[in-house]
Amino acid sequence: MAVVTYAGGQELQEKLIVRPTSETIICNMYAKWLQSYRDLPIMMNQWCNVVRWEKTTRPFLRTSEFLWQEGHTVHETEEEAREMTQKMLEVYKEFAENCLAIPVICGRKTEKEKFAGAVETYGMEAMMLDGKSLQAGTSHYLGQNFAKSFDMKFLSREGVLKYGYSTSWGVSTRLIGATIMAHGDERGLILPPVVAPVQVIIIPVAAHKEGVTEKAREICEQLKKLGVRVKVDERDMSPGWKFNEWEMKGVPLRMEIGPRDIENGQCVLVRRDNHEKQFLSLSSVCSIPELLSSIQKEMLETSRVNRDARIKVSDTLDGIKQGCDEGNFVKVCWCGERECEDKVKEYAQATSRVMTDEPCEHEKCAICGKPAKKKVYFARAY
Ligand SMILES: [Zn+2]
């Protein structure tokens, strides 16, 4: 936690503690508002900046202050609260996969890795291009833990006072970092079309020749009408310079149009994700939205194939270390003991990411050899 001791030019008489999460203020208010089962469920979402003490910061991934979204709910029953926890995990997963084109692995965190106040924490883990894992979102089932600490009680349908069941969940600007690191290459960003601020950049070639700029603007208007986020780059720079700049910014599609293209009734399209170049007839410009959506799908698919190729299975501590050294996630049978997790951390510098639902009866813990209880992904993480 960050503790403010000095502010407004003087040392504070009372230290100010900046909390990293809001359960305390939220639950304080919920306890006041909540009276009857008719008040339930309560759901609040807030966008706010949080401060977390980080000794080593990394742009977008670990910063002392960051913007996030945090949701807090209270429910009448355990079942409803558990359902909400899963539902939000699913919402985050859909967003990561369908909008950011990042395939994620979702699952429950181990006792060691869960949020301290939670009964259960679920996480979604994304593999970055270097094979390290990034925790990209979490959803917590809090049970009655906070309800008991904050006296969050309600009159039930049966007329007795009961503690509510709560959840909390969040994602942050870290997802921007995830998008950059999951798709970039040595030329710069590669943005999925769904979230790219500019989806198509039109670059006139030999713009001084008659009719070129006009044609570029005409296509731009046509695409705008189709709902495409598009721009014509009319700046006084060489086309090559512009190509590089827009590549660096990750624009999914580049359209080049010059006098000869116009003569031939076509333009050149270059995809940012796979550098593929194609000629498009000017009468087929209306097919561009379709092309953008197939780029979106292919980016997710490519990431999924790359990720799956780097999920290894091991039944030894050495295997876990080697797997992580080579930039993989390693799936491991585990006895459920913290001691074994600590050993992996010490020996392979890897942490448990999430547990799977896969059965592992009759199998042995890769670390201690005792009967296994769970299959877990281990990886180095940001
Ligand atoms: Zn073990």
Side-chain angles (χ1 to χ4, degrees):
M1 281 188 302
V3 181
V4 182
T5 56
Y6 197 88
Q10 54 187 345
E11 196 156 321
L12 298 179
Q13 288 194 317
E14 264 186 284
K15 292 175 191 167
L16 181 71
I17 292 176
V18 186
R19 287 167 307 94
T21 179
S22 306
E23 270 77 13
T24 43
I25 31 169
I26 300 267
C27 294
N28 247 309
M29 296 316 294
Y30 278 5
K32 288 177 187 165
W33 299 337
L34 181 55
Q35 297 189 335
S36 136
Y37 69 90
R38 291 185 189 90
D39 300 325
L40 293 174
I42 306 180
M43 185 196 301
M44 289 245 157
N45 181 67
Q46 70 166 347
W47 284 91
C48 60
N49 273 33
V50 258
V51 173
R52 267 184 201 171
W53 197 247
E54 298 285 0
K55 277 191 184 137
T56 319
T57 57
R58 241 175 219 276
F60 290 115
L61 303 187
R62 279 188 187 278
T63 45
S64 300
E65 185 178 7
F66 57 88
L67 174 68
W68 80 347
Q69 150 287 311
E70 54 176 310
H72 300 266
T73 65
V74 190
H75 306 263
E76 237 182 302
T77 64
E78 172 175 352
E79 196 191 356
E80 274 176 42
R82 284 186 178 278
E83 217 169 88
M84 177 57 74
T85 311
Q86 293 304 326
K87 183 178 167 185
M88 287 317 299
L89 190 68
E90 200 50 44
V91 168
Y92 292 152
K93 181 181 177 173
E94 262 185 54
F95 177 71
E97 299 195 334
N98 298 340
C99 298
L100 306 179
I102 302 174
V104 289
I105 296 177
C106 291
R108 185 151 74 88
K109 294 266 173 186
T110 63
E111 276 302 299
K112 183 185 176 193
E113 299 292 332
K114 76 171 192 189
F115 171 50
V119 175
E120 283 169 6
T121 290
Y122 293 82
M124 103 180 158
E125 300 285 323
M127 186 191 281
M128 301 294 102
L129 287 169
D130 59 3
K132 280 191 181 174
S133 186
L134 184 73
Q135 179 177 295
T138 47
S139 186
H140 311 291
Y141 169 62
L142 305 172
Q144 292 177 313
N145 290 353
F146 283 91
K148 284 178 179 162
S149 315
F150 289 88
D151 209 28
M152 238 154 51
K153 277 191 262 189
F154 67 96
L155 199 60
S156 74
R157 289 167 201 269
E158 296 77 36
V160 289
L161 278 176
K162 273 182 71 180
Y163 288 111
Y165 295 84
S166 55
T167 76
S168 70
W169 20 273
V171 292
S172 74
T173 40
R174 182 173 246 213
L175 286 176
I176 298 173
T179 309
I180 294 170
M181 292 173 70
H183 302 302
D185 65 11
E186 72 287 354
R187 295 192 203 177
L189 299 182
I190 299 178
L191 292 178
V194 169
V195 292
V198 178
Q199 296 169 308
V200 179
I201 185 71
I202 304 176
I203 300 179
V205 178
H208 58 282
K209 294 268 174 74
E210 205 192 322
V212 173
T213 304
E214 288 69 17
K215 194 72 198 171
R217 288 179 190 161
E218 189 190 312
I219 298 170
C220 183
E221 286 313 308
Q222 233 178 314
L223 286 174
K224 271 186 192 163
K225 281 192 191 123
L226 296 169
V228 176
R229 295 187 292 277
V230 54
K231 253 187 179 175
V232 181
D233 187 348
E234 294 188 27
R235 289 175 302 168
D236 189 18
M237 303 284 191
S238 75
W241 192 93
K242 292 177 185 175
F243 295 171
N244 285 336
E245 192 185 57
W246 292 107
E247 274 190 350
M248 189 170 70
K249 291 186 172 183
V251 174
L253 264 185
R254 176 174 87 222
M255 183 187 289
E256 307 165 9
I257 185 149
R260 201 167 306 148
D261 299 313
I262 296 172
E263 239 171 68
N264 296 333
Q266 63 184 31
C267 62
V268 176
L269 279 183
V270 183
R271 282 171 62 156
R272 177 65 182 91
D273 61 324
N274 60 11
H275 313 294
E276 221 173 80
K277 198 170 177 167
Q278 63 178 87
F279 289 98
L280 182 76
S281 154
L282 290 178
S283 58
S284 308
V285 163
C286 56
S287 68
I288 285 184
E290 212 175 299
L291 178 58
L292 287 170
S293 71
S294 60
I295 292 175
Q296 179 79 27
K297 281 190 202 112
E298 284 171 38
M299 281 182 72
L300 174 64
E301 209 32 51
T302 306
S303 300
R304 204 190 294 278
V305 168
N306 288 340
R307 181 199 66 187
D308 290 350
R310 292 202 291 176
I311 294 177
K312 307 288 177 202
V313 178
S314 177
D315 54 9
T316 64
L317 197 51
D318 278 318
I320 300 172
K321 182 173 188 304
Q322 194 191 346
C324 293
D325 283 344
E326 291 166 357
N328 302 297
F329 283 13
V330 187
K331 208 183 334 182
V332 171
C333 290
W334 168 60
C335 63
E337 294 301 322
R338 164 102 188 225
E339 214 187 328
C340 286
E341 267 182 286
D342 289 341
K343 257 187 202 152
V344 175
K345 171 89 195 175
E346 197 189 304
Y347 187 73
Q349 297 82 51
T351 47
S352 73
R353 306 316 305 162
V354 290
M355 300 187 275
T356 73
D357 294 328
E358 295 165 41
C360 58
E361 302 106 46
H362 318 302
E363 308 226 38
K364 284 179 181 162
C365 172
I367 302 112
C368 69
K370 285 183 201 153
K373 284 191 183 139
K374 278 282 175 192
K375 271 191 192 171
V376 187
Y377 288 99
F378 278 98
R380 304 218 170 109
Y382 280 100

